[in-house]
Amino acid sequence: MPQPEVSVIIPARNESEHIIGCLTSLAAQTGASVYEVILVDNGSTDDTAILARQFAKDHPGFDLKVLSEPRPGRGPARAAGFAAARGTFLLSSDSDTQVPKHWVASLTRALRTGRYVAVTGNCRVIDCRPRTNFMINNTLRWGMRSYRLIVGHWWLTGSNFGITRTAYDLSGGFGTDVRDQEDIDLSWRVHRLGRIRFMPARDAVTTAGDRFSRGTIYGVWGYVRAYTGRFILRQGDRFARED
């Protein structure tokens, strides 16, 4: 495989239901420069890693590597994947997420301008009931904008962000002791290095709505509780989400 300009890092834990859809969307990218995908299996007890390795065998032209990170949590998993990445531009998504065909090219193009140290975008849920989808998607969309007005910078959505390698290294990267809220934790350090761009709606990714299965309010509360516990009460991962 040639040296990649872009690395896409995907943490995965027990996502056998979604992993093929995720990888299929990444293998179907158009207009992208040379890129690799690094899947980090975070202690799955199902067939996630097996399915990913079989996908790599079935798609020999697709630069996919499957790593293992036994320490639980998205923080350690993302840290392991970013450490193994070879690209100049590092993109992040999730194993229950599908990205549009232009996603790698679009995020990379924005980073290549040199005007931004990182870019981030929204995610959409489409697999719940129509009313639930509408409520979730509007809550997420306006939640990001409200956060930007309150704290002064965009947060880096774990399922949809990109960063230059230089900025990632200077920021200190993902903390291996941060199991949840690892993307927001990173955002606080990255925004001090330069501008974070919010990407247009066409670059939104589609993610599974499993975490909202008990209702929109309950699902959103999980994020609010985890954020409050880490950044306001300074309780670390005490209130971490388990999804």
Side-chain angles (χ1 to χ4, degrees):
M1 294 288 183
Q3 175 71 24
E5 182 187 27
V6 182
S7 299
V8 182
I9 296 91
I10 310 288
R13 183 177 185 278
N14 293 339
E15 290 290 355
S16 59
E17 180 180 353
H18 302 114
I19 193 61
I20 297 302
C22 171
L23 295 176
T24 298
S25 73
L26 287 167
Q29 294 296 294
T30 59
S33 55
V34 179
Y35 67 99
E36 65 177 353
V37 175
I38 299 174
L39 181 81
V40 184
D41 179 43
N42 193 210
S44 296
T45 57
D46 65 3
D47 292 338
T48 297
I50 295 172
L51 291 171
R53 290 191 175 95
Q54 185 60 51
F55 189 93
K57 291 180 181 179
D58 294 341
H59 299 77
F62 180 47
D63 190 354
L64 170 63
K65 299 176 182 62
V66 181
L67 309 181
S68 178
E69 172 51 66
R71 290 173 296 181
R74 287 177 296 276
R78 291 197 204 277
F82 274 68
R86 297 181 292 155
T88 302
F89 304 109
L90 311 176
L91 309 187
S92 173
S93 194
D94 286 328
S95 50
D96 63 350
T97 299
Q98 296 186 30
V99 303
K101 290 185 176 182
H102 58 268
W103 184 75
V104 170
S106 185
L107 269 62
T108 303
R109 185 165 51 248
L111 291 171
R112 197 181 283 120
T113 66
R115 296 197 295 268
Y116 313 101
V117 296
V119 296
T120 189
N122 216 333
C123 62
R124 298 180 299 113
V125 171
I126 61 174
D127 59 349
C128 296
R129 291 178 299 179
R131 181 179 178 182
T132 302
N133 291 337
F134 177 82
M135 292 178 63
I136 293 170
N137 294 334
N138 278 281
T139 298
L140 293 175
R141 181 162 58 93
W142 289 109
M144 289 197 74
R145 285 163 171 75
S146 299
Y147 183 91
R148 168 68 174 81
L149 291 173
I150 293 169
V151 306
H153 67 267
W154 296 105
W155 81 57
L156 300 176
T157 307
S159 61
N160 188 7
F161 85 83
I163 188 170
T164 66
R165 174 177 289 279
T166 299
Y168 180 78
D169 290 342
L170 288 174
S171 73
F174 285 109
T176 56
D177 59 340
V178 180
R179 185 161 56 90
D180 189 18
Q181 302 290 304
E182 76 292 343
D183 46 3
I184 297 181
D185 178 71
L186 180 66
S187 306
W188 278 103
R189 287 174 275 122
V190 169
H191 95 276
R192 299 187 181 99
L193 300 174
R195 295 176 63 193
I196 298 175
R197 179 189 177 186
F198 186 73
M199 300 298 287
R202 68 185 294 268
D203 297 315
V205 302
T206 302
T207 192
D210 299 357
R211 58 183 62 85
F212 298 100
S213 60
R214 296 174 66 177
T216 306
I217 295 176
Y218 184 88
V220 171
W221 169 242
Y223 289 95
V224 173
R225 185 171 183 263
Y227 181 92
T228 301
R230 173 166 293 282
F231 298 107
I232 298 177
L233 301 179
R234 305 296 181 183
Q235 294 292 308
D237 284 317
R238 181 178 177 184
F239 303 108
R241 294 167 297 139
E242 296 301 326
D243 55 274

